[in-house]
Amino acid sequence: QVQLKESGGGLVQTGGSLRLSCAASGLTFSTLNMGWFRQAPGKEREFVVVSSWSGTTVYADSVKGRFAISRDNAKNTGDLQMNSLKPEDTAVYYCAVRLSVGLPRDPREYNLWGQGTQVTVSS
């Protein structure tokens, strides 16, 4: 069964850190582009970062310098290290993969999604 599963969300204070993980099964992770998105209540799903299979990364300006994506292609996992968290980072975070070339920011360009994990940053 092809699926993505996120873990690592939780509640953290402003300025704190969290590390999210995305585990992929049923697909060859090393050949796919992988992204992280987030969706706050009442808002559209928002681009956070995307990483190509070769290591090229693109970050949203809002997280640049605070968040870092990493991936272990051998283990079919990808992580999102989030530092200096702010209340506006509160959202459900999703990992996603794209089955074709390109590093788009539009979530509609991604083919497979996890179920999401909640991140809440208290002020």
Side-chain angles (χ1 to χ4, degrees):
Q1 183 179 2
V2 177
Q3 65 177 3
L4 301 174
K5 186 173 183 180
E6 302 93 340
S7 61
L11 173 64
V12 65
Q13 292 184 335
T14 296
S17 299
L18 279 175
R19 189 176 185 89
L20 306 182
S21 293
C22 177
S25 58
L27 48 81
T28 306
F29 197 63
S30 61
T31 63
L32 300 174
N33 295 342
M34 173 202 167
W36 286 92
F37 294 78
R38 64 188 182 186
Q39 188 165 17
K43 295 188 177 181
E44 294 186 351
R45 194 162 296 189
E46 176 189 30
F47 168 77
V48 176
V49 60
V50 61
S51 168
S52 74
W53 61 270
S54 61
T56 301
T57 57
V58 179
Y59 290 91
D61 288 344
S62 60
V63 305
K64 200 173 294 183
R66 300 188 298 123
F67 290 12
I69 191 172
S70 61
R71 53 193 296 172
D72 187 333
N73 290 334
K75 295 183 179 179
N76 267 8
T77 59
D79 289 353
L80 182 65
Q81 178 66 42
M82 305 186 296
N83 301 323
S84 302
L85 283 162
K86 306 174 182 180
E88 51 263 44
D89 295 318
T90 295
V92 177
Y93 282 71
Y94 300 88
C95 65
V97 295
R98 175 173 163 83
L99 303 179
S100 53
V101 299
L103 301 176
R105 296 173 181 242
D106 188 339
R108 295 171 295 180
E109 299 291 333
Y110 290 75
N111 306 100
L112 180 65
W113 293 82
Q115 84 288 351
T117 185
Q118 177 70 47
V119 171
T120 303
V121 184
S122 63
S123 57

